[in-house]
């Protein structure tokens, strides 16, 4: 079955630390890849997406992600986190041929200490 | 405000009851998706509609049903509610219904007591 794995359940960082959140997906051919963020009490917002082309994707708020096809990975990175980045981060995959419905990872909660 | 409107924001109901959750997609979007978010299952895709027709079905229970109306708003009906149905129900919309990049609403928090 198609699945998405996020390696870390909860990450705690201090402000200015670098961030990398792991995401792996099961093989399924062509994929579109996404990272969403959910701030406390809010809806999911799209951080960035990858459809094709340059595997290094830049998103909003200084986030970026790298698609490594051979590793089935799409890790999220940010060089220097801020307290306002405290949120839950979800990796999601739309498999080619699907109607666009996303398969989500379980999410990684990021807590940034001021 | 994402442009996707969900009502109500909160709903508390008893086991065995039936509720209806409503979603108005972003202007111009033809496709509506419903997701359930719970602590143990995470975000689970329930069902997708595109321009009034059902497009895809995920882990949706038989007690649950949905429809999309001519004005493109959608309703998710949950019946014979159980404690385990307590969750956050999100609606999302997109223009084409393909590709996966879409906009989420703020969700309806359902509590079954």
């Amino acid at each position: 079955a198609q699945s998405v794995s996020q390696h870390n359940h909860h990450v705690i960082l201090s402000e200015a630390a670098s961030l990398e959140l792991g995401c792996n997906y099961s093989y399924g051919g062509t994929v579109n890849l996404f990272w969403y963020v959910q701030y406390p009490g809010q809806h999911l917002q799209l951080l960035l997406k990858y459809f094709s082309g340059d595997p290094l994707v830049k998103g909003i708020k200084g986030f970026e992600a790298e698609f490594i096809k051979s590793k089935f990975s799409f890790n999220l990175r940010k060089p220097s986190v801020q307290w306002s980045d405290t949120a839950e981060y979800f990796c999601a995959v739309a498999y080619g041929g699907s109607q666009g419905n996303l398969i989500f990872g379980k999410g990684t909660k990021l807590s940034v200490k001021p | 405000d994402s442009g996707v409107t969900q009502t109500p924001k909160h709903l508390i109901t008893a086991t065995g009851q039936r509720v209806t959750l409503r979603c108005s997609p972003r202007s111009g979007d033809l496709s509506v998706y419903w997701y359930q978010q719970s602590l143990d299952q995470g975000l689970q895709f329930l069902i997708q509609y595109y321009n009034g027709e059902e497009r895809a079905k995920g882990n949706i229970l038989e007690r649950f049903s949905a429809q999309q109306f001519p004005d493109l708003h959608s309703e998710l009906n949950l019946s014979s509610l159980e404690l385990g149905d307590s969750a956050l129900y999100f609606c999302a919309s997109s223009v084409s219904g393909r590709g996966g990049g879409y906009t989420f609403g703020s969700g309806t928090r359902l509590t079954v007591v």
Side-chain angles (χ1 to χ4, degrees), chain B residues 37-103:
Chain B
Q37 186 179 32
S38 61
L39 281 173
D40 52 344
Q41 296 291 324
L43 270 157
Q44 297 281 315
F45 168 68
L46 295 178
I47 197 164
Q48 179 202 0
Y49 280 83
Y50 179 79
N51 205 20
E53 293 191 4
E54 183 184 303
R55 259 292 171 89
K57 229 170 185 175
N59 300 323
I60 188 165
L61 299 171
E62 283 191 16
R63 300 184 284 110
F64 296 0
S65 65
Q67 53 184 326
Q68 186 179 29
F69 294 87
D71 67 352
L72 301 178
H73 91 271
S74 177
E75 292 181 356
L76 179 68
N77 300 297
L78 316 176
S79 61
S80 302
L81 285 167
E82 302 174 0
L83 295 177
D85 298 327
S86 296
L88 201 50
Y89 291 85
F90 284 107
C91 167
S93 72
S94 70
V95 171
S96 68
R98 286 192 176 271
Y102 39 72
T103 303

Side-chain angles (χ1 to χ4, degrees), chain A residues 23-103:
Chain A
C23 172
N24 286 91
Y25 62 94
S26 60
Y27 173 74
T30 306
V31 293
N32 294 337
L33 300 158
F34 306 84
W35 276 98
Y36 280 85
V37 61
Q38 188 176 28
Y39 297 102
Q42 294 192 26
H43 61 275
L44 287 104
Q45 299 173 42
L46 182 65
L47 268 181
L48 47 80
K49 60 187 177 186
Y50 173 80
F51 284 14
S52 64
D54 188 344
L56 187 61
V57 180
K58 293 199 184 300
I60 61 172
K61 301 177 192 275
F63 286 91
E64 65 179 30
E66 185 176 13
F67 171 50
I68 302 179
K69 191 174 181 180
S70 60
K71 294 184 178 180
F72 305 106
S73 71
F74 190 56
N75 291 355
L76 181 71
R77 299 195 291 247
K78 186 170 184 179
S80 175
V81 295
Q82 301 171 321
W83 177 77
S84 58
D85 293 324
T86 295
E88 191 154 16
Y89 293 81
F90 294 90
C91 179
V93 178
Y95 285 87
S98 77
Q99 297 300 320
N101 48 288
L102 293 177
I103 297 176

